[in-house]
Amino acid sequence: MEDENPYLLLTPGPLSTTPTVKSVMMRDWCTWDEDYNGLVQDVRRRLTSLATSEAGYTSVLMQGSGTFCVESVIGTTLPRDGKLLVLANGAYGLRIAEIARRLGIAYELVDSGELNQPDIAALDETLSKDSHITHVAAVHCETTTGMLNPVAEIGRMVKGHSRCFILDAMSSFGGIPMDVADLGADFLISSANKCIQGVPGFGFVVALRSVLEDCSGQARSLSLDLYDQWHEMEHKGGKWRFTSPTHTVRAFERALHELDLEGGVPARYARYAENHQLLVDGMAGLGFKCLLPEAFQSPIITSFVNPDSPDYEFRSFYDALKTRGFVIYPGKVTVADTFRIGNIGHVQPENIRELIRAVETSMTWRPR
Ligand SMILES: *Cc1c(COP(=O)(O)O)cnc(C)c1O
């Protein structure tokens, strides 16, 4: 099937999907029929086994973008007298704290700044001092910068203090090998349109079943009640409580199949890592500098410092690349002037080589 997209999305989601993922959406499904609900159960099983080989985990799908899913986890898992510690080093960590604030949930925000990783010793101290803290939330790949956070160490510390660990692995799950049990995460959150390479419309949570089962009646919202959503799916054979994004779920099931065909998460990770390396090397050859040191850098998305030239303007650069078939992403960092290029989605190393040539021909300014 011909791919009719005028450009490739080099963004952290929604991202470029395969023509076959898009084509399976050309059919309508009944939201409560067993054909469709069987598909939902298959997706839930695959997600749980993708997340861990250990028993005791389950998964829930939730309508909306990834943030809806984060909000459903925060709003459902924190008891009335609970307190959330949020480790932030970018917009997505800060967003978790903002969710807690809006929902009237007690929280403490520890912001290490966009260019630093969370401080594990400080986490140890905070958890020792404050016995009111019941839950800790952290972001795996902070998409704001592309920083990979040390979530295994964070998880070990949180579990050492017997607290509940909520992990936003939105932009990394399916693209970086991980095991939710090894990470000590009670709740792992991601969405359809990131590294699994589906289309947008829902998010999902892989949860330690025994912990989720204790969350009945706690949700501050009806539609974002993660427990009720799970209970319905679990006990009614894959049924959603409210209208489900049927076409998106079908596309996601195809995307999971294509992840298997590619060779699973290790193979996908290798492709993303190769994309990232080609990108960084190619851009360096044209005078672009990365924001982060390589040791902090994920293979998911890369932040570059905007060239320091009076002739450079992001918008014109963006437009020039768009006409050449590539859509890049503006920066989100507040402490530096940057733009971002994503390595994820249906993007091959050859596409990155083409991108570098397109960047070179789009450079109307003189690098310093
Ligand atoms: C994409 C993303 C989200 C969710 O964003 P939405 O726009 O709501 O899908 C949350 N956290 C991280 C780290 C992300 O990359």
Side-chain angles (χ1 to χ4, degrees):
M1 190 191 199
E2 188 74 25
D3 201 333
E4 289 168 5
N5 281 315
Y7 38 71
L8 200 65
L9 297 176
L10 298 176
T11 58
L15 34 66
S16 289
T17 57
T18 62
T20 37
V21 161
K22 286 186 277 280
S23 72
V24 296
M25 290 188 287
M26 298 298 287
R27 167 185 168 174
D28 305 311
W29 296 82
C30 175
T31 189
W32 48 261
D33 184 87
E34 60 191 27
D35 289 352
Y36 175 69
N37 290 346
L39 199 76
V40 173
Q41 293 299 66
D42 181 42
V43 163
R44 291 180 60 218
R45 265 191 301 272
R46 282 173 186 248
L47 283 175
T48 309
S49 62
L50 204 57
T52 184
S53 49
E54 302 236 346
Y57 288 82
T58 185
S59 68
V60 200
L61 317 182
M62 180 62 85
Q63 295 95 333
S65 83
T67 304
F68 290 60
C69 238
V70 177
E71 189 154 349
S72 80
V73 170
I74 303 299
T76 305
T77 61
L78 268 288
R80 297 289 146 173
D81 57 354
K83 182 175 177 182
L84 176 68
L85 173 65
V86 182
L87 303 177
N89 53 357
Y92 294 99
L94 294 177
R95 188 178 294 174
I96 296 175
E98 175 63 7
I99 287 170
R101 191 186 71 77
R102 296 270 187 124
L103 295 178
I105 291 168
Y107 72 96
E108 182 169 331
L109 170 64
V110 178
D111 184 352
S112 52
E114 287 165 336
L115 303 182
N116 305 302
Q117 294 196 318
D119 182 341
I120 308 286
L123 170 65
D124 190 13
E125 206 183 305
T126 309
L127 291 178
S128 302
K129 275 201 310 225
D130 190 345
S131 62
H132 296 292
I133 294 170
T134 51
H135 293 62
V136 178
V139 179
H140 187 204
C141 171
E142 186 35 274
T143 319
T144 307
T145 50
M147 189 180 304
L148 210 50
N149 284 320
V151 285
E153 277 115 302
I154 295 170
R156 223 170 291 132
M157 187 58 70
V158 173
K159 289 290 112 183
H161 285 272
S162 305
R163 313 298 169 83
C164 181
F165 184 30
I166 297 168
L167 181 62
D168 172 348
M170 201 74 68
S171 61
S172 53
F173 185 74
I176 298 179
M178 69 183 82
D179 185 298
V180 64
D182 289 349
L183 296 176
D186 299 280
F187 297 92
L188 177 150
I189 311 161
S190 186
S191 80
N193 60 273
K194 303 257 175 156
C195 295
I196 310 280
Q197 297 183 183
V199 304
F202 72 95
F204 56 87
V205 180
V206 176
L208 194 55
R209 186 181 170 128
S210 56
V211 179
L212 178 59
E213 277 176 333
D214 273 348
C215 296
S216 170
Q218 282 181 174
R220 282 95 177 149
S221 157
L222 171 70
S223 56
L224 295 179
D225 188 330
L226 189 75
Y227 175 85
D228 279 359
Q229 182 88 342
W230 171 76
H231 194 270
E232 184 94 353
M233 283 183 180
E234 186 69 10
H235 297 284
K236 291 193 183 159
K239 196 177 156 292
W240 298 55
R241 289 174 305 160
F242 312 123
T243 299
S244 96
T246 49
H247 300 79
T248 299
V249 171
R250 176 65 184 98
F252 189 70
E253 196 240 14
R254 174 70 203 181
L256 282 167
H257 177 60
E258 292 183 8
L259 174 60
D260 281 349
L261 293 180
E262 185 172 348
V265 178
R268 182 153 296 179
Y269 173 69
R271 174 165 60 86
Y272 290 169
E274 186 179 356
N275 286 349
H276 168 72
Q277 201 54 54
L278 287 169
L279 176 70
V280 169
D281 293 347
M283 292 295 276
L286 298 175
F288 289 88
K289 289 185 179 58
C290 291
L291 175 73
L292 297 179
E294 191 55 38
F296 287 176
Q297 183 67 59
S298 70
I300 303 297
I301 188 165
T302 314
S303 290
F304 293 97
V305 179
N306 274 318
D308 175 23
S309 162
D311 305 324
Y312 172 82
E313 198 224 333
F314 175 75
R315 188 71 219 188
S316 328
F317 179 46
Y318 174 93
D319 289 338
L321 285 179
K322 187 174 162 187
T323 57
R324 290 172 171 85
F326 300 96
V327 161
I328 63 169
Y329 220 47
K332 205 176 179 126
V333 179
T334 55
V335 296
D337 189 16
T338 58
F339 66 90
R340 292 176 290 173
I341 299 181
N343 305 300
I344 60 179
H346 184 49
V347 176
Q348 311 303 322
E350 186 45 38
N351 299 127
I352 301 294
R353 292 191 189 94
E354 288 159 9
L355 167 76
I356 299 298
R357 289 191 286 274
V359 169
E360 190 169 14
T361 53
S362 302
M363 288 173 67
T364 51
W365 66 94
R366 195 175 309 173
R368 287 189 183 172

